[in-house]
Amino acid sequence: MSYVGPDFDPPQPRRPRRGPLTVALAALVPGALIGWFVYEAVGSPGGGSSAHASSASTGSSVSPTSTASNDDKPPGPSPLKGKVVVIDPGHNVTNFQHTAEINRKVDIGTNWKECDTTGTSTNAGYSEAQFTMDVSHRLKAILEKQGVTVKLTHDTGSPSWGPCVDQRARIGNDAHADAALSIHADGAPAGDRGFHVILPASVHAGGADTRAIVGPSAVLGRGIASNYRRVTGEPFSNYVGDGTGLDTRKDLGGLNLSTVPKVFIECGNMRDGKDAALLTNGAWRQKAAQGISEGIVSFLES
């Protein structure tokens, strides 16, 4: 055997030399692996998980700890948008200064009647015209908040008197109103209490023809009577309507000449002490407007 001493190693097989590309890959792979592990541990640059990063890349704002809410959606259009209501505040505070004008007769189909009247008042001097204008403004504000278009037949200071009953009806007709209401308060003897709603009778005479509106006006009137009583607590009239709170008439120009569903409401008796105490109270008048509005809205939604 040949001797192999400590200072002598046998010759080893020669290894092939590494090329430049091999060296580069060997350096990059460990770095890439380290970076991937760090990314998975820490998360995306936005601080979320890889799932969050995927959502962010698609533009989604939903995170793992939150869900979409309907509260963020803008409110839809009011179901009453486009509906038109005409409110007719009974009488005018300055009618008493224009007696010649308001006493002029106008044709209401069944007969001729005064253009308008002064209305009544409480014993303390609070006029029906003041009451009707106040309730009309309150009612208008409530309905407009629900998307309804509201028109008044007249407003404070304009016109200076009237308008005549035939013109009041025409305003509702020209507006193609979905509903029209004339607001009043009664002047019956003391002891007569409560409210009533006046419905149009079936009239077909002269320039009056209510046949098409009798049915829908009755629906409107019943809805107003029911809601007004519930909200205000005011009882049905004890002197008109036989306890039903409804009365049908054919001698009112504002109803006879209307071509749209229309009713009158006598909100209470100004000459009765108990009713007068309510009619002169602002908080109660707000209830009156609320009750009327709920009746109108129920009709518009039907």
Side-chain angles (χ1 to χ4, degrees):
M1 289 188 65
S2 301
Y3 175 80
V4 178
D7 296 326
F8 176 80
D9 285 330
Q12 301 296 318
R14 188 175 182 179
R15 295 180 181 177
R17 295 180 64 186
R18 295 179 180 177
L21 179 60
T22 303
V23 175
L25 289 173
L28 287 174
V29 169
L33 289 173
I34 293 171
W36 184 83
F37 281 117
V38 171
Y39 182 89
E40 284 297 297
V42 175
S44 68
S49 68
S50 59
H52 176 87
S54 175
S55 297
S57 67
T58 59
S60 171
S61 61
V62 180
S63 71
T65 57
S66 66
T67 57
S69 171
N70 289 331
D71 294 339
D72 296 331
K73 296 180 180 179
S78 166
L80 299 180
K81 187 174 179 60
K83 298 292 187 180
V84 177
V85 171
V86 169
I87 301 172
D88 176 30
H91 312 289
N92 191 314
V93 292
T94 61
N95 273 357
F96 73 96
Q97 298 173 334
H98 300 271
T99 54
E101 291 88 347
I102 66 172
N103 285 330
R104 177 175 64 84
K105 298 293 182 67
V106 298
D107 185 0
I108 65 168
T110 55
N111 59 293
W112 290 74
K113 203 165 184 179
E114 290 81 5
C115 158
D116 201 6
T117 65
T118 59
T120 188
S121 66
T122 66
N123 292 333
Y126 181 62
S127 73
E128 180 184 0
Q130 288 175 282
F131 170 81
T132 63
M133 186 60 73
D134 180 85
V135 173
S136 294
H137 282 157
R138 295 172 187 268
L139 176 58
K140 181 175 186 287
I142 294 171
L143 291 175
E144 287 180 337
K145 285 182 179 179
Q146 299 180 73
V148 179
T149 297
V150 180
K151 299 179 183 294
L152 299 181
T153 58
H154 68 105
D155 208 343
T156 305
S158 178
S160 58
W161 56 272
C164 294
V165 294
D166 56 343
Q167 185 180 353
R168 291 171 187 257
R170 194 176 307 118
I171 291 170
N173 299 343
D174 291 346
H176 304 288
D178 295 284
L181 171 73
S182 190
I183 299 177
H184 290 264
D186 216 350
D192 290 346
R193 279 207 65 200
F195 80 97
H196 62 279
V197 176
I198 304 173
L199 312 176
S202 181
V203 172
H204 186 210
D209 187 354
T210 63
R211 291 175 295 178
I213 69 165
V214 167
S217 295
V219 174
L220 172 63
R222 287 194 294 267
I224 290 175
S226 174
N227 284 278
Y228 185 87
R229 183 186 189 189
R230 175 180 56 81
V231 175
T232 65
E234 178 76 349
F236 291 148
S237 170
N238 62 7
Y239 61 98
V240 172
D242 297 324
T244 66
L246 302 173
D247 187 30
T248 301
R249 292 174 60 173
K250 62 179 180 180
D251 63 330
L252 297 174
L255 295 180
N256 285 4
L257 300 175
S258 181
T259 59
V260 301
K262 184 174 182 179
V263 298
F264 279 42
I265 181 169
E266 296 282 1
C267 294
N269 180 18
M270 301 198 89
R271 309 300 290 183
D272 176 76
K274 291 181 179 179
D275 272 3
L278 300 176
L279 297 168
T280 55
N281 182 282
W284 187 89
R285 292 197 298 272
Q286 186 65 28
K287 290 183 180 180
Q290 184 65 43
I292 294 170
S293 76
E294 292 183 18
I296 293 173
V297 167
S298 69
F299 174 78
L300 296 177
E301 292 179 337
S302 64

